[in-house]
Amino acid sequence: MSQSVFFAHANGFPSGTYSKLFDALEPDYRVHRLDMHGHDPRFPVNANWENLVEELLHYHAALRRPELYRGVVMLDSPLLTVADQLVIRVAKRFGFIDRLTPAGRTLGRREDFEDFAEALEYFAGKPLFKRFDRDCLEAYVRHGLAPADARGLRLKFDPATEISIYRNVPHTAPGRARQLAVPLTLVRGRHSRVVLPHHARLVSHIPQGESLSLPGGHMFPLERPQDTAALLKTVFARWQQRESHKESP
């Protein structure tokens, strides 16, 4: 019987972009996910992602409801230090948060394309996408764009929503990291500029925390989807083994 995994996609990248990763996890794991996080009008983006936590259960939600989880894996998502939180708070207060997050690069981004081929060529030439697995790049264009009202294709993610998510990145948490009652694995891209070595070291102070890495940058799950799936299977199997030992008489 397959185990269930809930996957939270990166901002601006619909879940379908990760199809190759999901396929590599099956049939051992059934992956549940939202198509596009942050676009449900019942959960509008607000300060510190409080409504997004209600829509999507991730690290913050695991602090609130640990009974819903067997563990949490963060794929190049930083576990913030006190200093990080202070910098984010100040950046919001004084209006330079766009320089700390991708919000500034999202402003004025191209949204419309004539067809799939044009969009694929365009994104293939962008630095963020240049190391993407080809199947993942094609999946991004296929799932991330939709027919426009007039003609051609348009990005499905609403730019204003995407920017709002970046601008409201949490500078608080509903509890201390050391209070996390489930295993936490942080997987860092070795060339990431988002999750830095000091973030990885912070995980070592969590009772059930561990830090791992894979080759690649911040988007390594879409650069190396099969390697990512193999690592996730190893992590999940280790959690299951620990549980089995705890249940043994």
Side-chain angles (χ1 to χ4, degrees):
M1 182 177 179
S2 62
Q3 302 290 317
S4 292
V5 174
F6 191 87
F7 184 88
H9 63 76
N11 189 19
F13 292 83
S15 291
T17 310
Y18 299 84
S19 297
K20 191 167 185 176
L21 170 59
F22 300 157
D23 290 344
L25 288 172
E26 295 178 351
D28 301 311
Y29 298 94
R30 182 182 178 189
V31 182
H32 303 270
R33 67 272 190 183
L34 298 178
D35 177 39
M36 293 199 309
H37 184 39
H39 284 63
D40 189 328
R42 297 173 299 174
F43 304 98
V45 181
N46 64 343
N48 294 308
W49 295 352
E50 291 180 1
N51 286 342
L52 299 190
V53 172
E54 297 300 325
E55 181 190 17
L56 176 64
L57 303 182
H58 51 55
Y59 164 71
H60 279 199
L63 283 170
R64 295 182 184 178
R65 299 287 303 278
E67 72 276 9
L68 300 179
Y69 296 83
R70 299 178 72 174
V72 176
V73 179
M74 300 172 68
L75 300 177
D76 214 75
S77 179
L79 187 64
L80 299 181
T81 65
V82 173
D84 293 329
Q85 293 174 345
L86 178 60
V87 169
I88 292 172
R89 183 191 294 268
V90 171
K92 290 177 180 178
R93 173 68 178 83
F94 293 99
F96 59 91
I97 190 65
D98 287 4
R99 285 188 278 168
L100 292 183
T101 72
R105 297 192 297 273
T106 304
L107 289 166
R109 182 183 58 186
R110 182 176 176 181
E111 300 178 53
D112 298 292
F113 302 89
E114 288 189 5
D115 53 29
F116 180 90
E118 184 192 37
L120 186 62
E121 181 180 5
Y122 173 81
F123 287 111
K126 290 294 182 180
L128 180 66
F129 297 87
K130 65 181 180 181
R131 294 188 178 88
F132 271 33
D133 176 276
R134 184 67 179 186
D135 292 334
C136 293
L137 178 60
E138 292 182 0
Y140 170 73
V141 177
R142 186 166 57 251
H143 293 280
L145 282 76
D149 293 337
R151 67 181 185 86
L153 300 172
R154 171 169 288 187
L155 288 175
K156 288 171 62 177
F157 262 83
D158 172 50
T161 300
E162 188 174 347
I163 291 170
S164 182
I165 291 174
Y166 287 131
R167 287 177 174 170
N168 286 283
V169 60
H171 62 265
T172 63
R176 300 175 66 88
R178 294 181 182 181
Q179 297 173 327
L180 193 64
V182 297
L184 171 66
T185 299
L186 172 64
V187 185
R188 175 179 180 262
R190 290 175 192 159
H191 298 98
S192 173
R193 296 181 180 179
V194 176
V195 176
L196 303 175
H198 76 274
H199 295 124
R201 289 193 295 270
L202 181 62
V203 179
S204 65
H205 298 294
I206 297 175
Q208 299 183 77
E210 66 173 343
S211 175
L212 306 173
S213 67
L214 279 176
H218 179 54
M219 303 303 296
F220 75 83
L222 296 173
E223 297 169 355
R224 296 174 172 265
Q226 292 175 317
D227 290 343
T228 302
L231 184 145
L232 289 174
K233 287 183 177 181
T234 299
V235 171
F236 297 157
R238 190 158 59 242
W239 291 350
Q240 292 171 327
Q241 187 175 31
R242 288 177 186 170
E243 287 186 359
S244 297
H245 288 163
K246 289 180 181 179
E247 295 171 358
S248 299

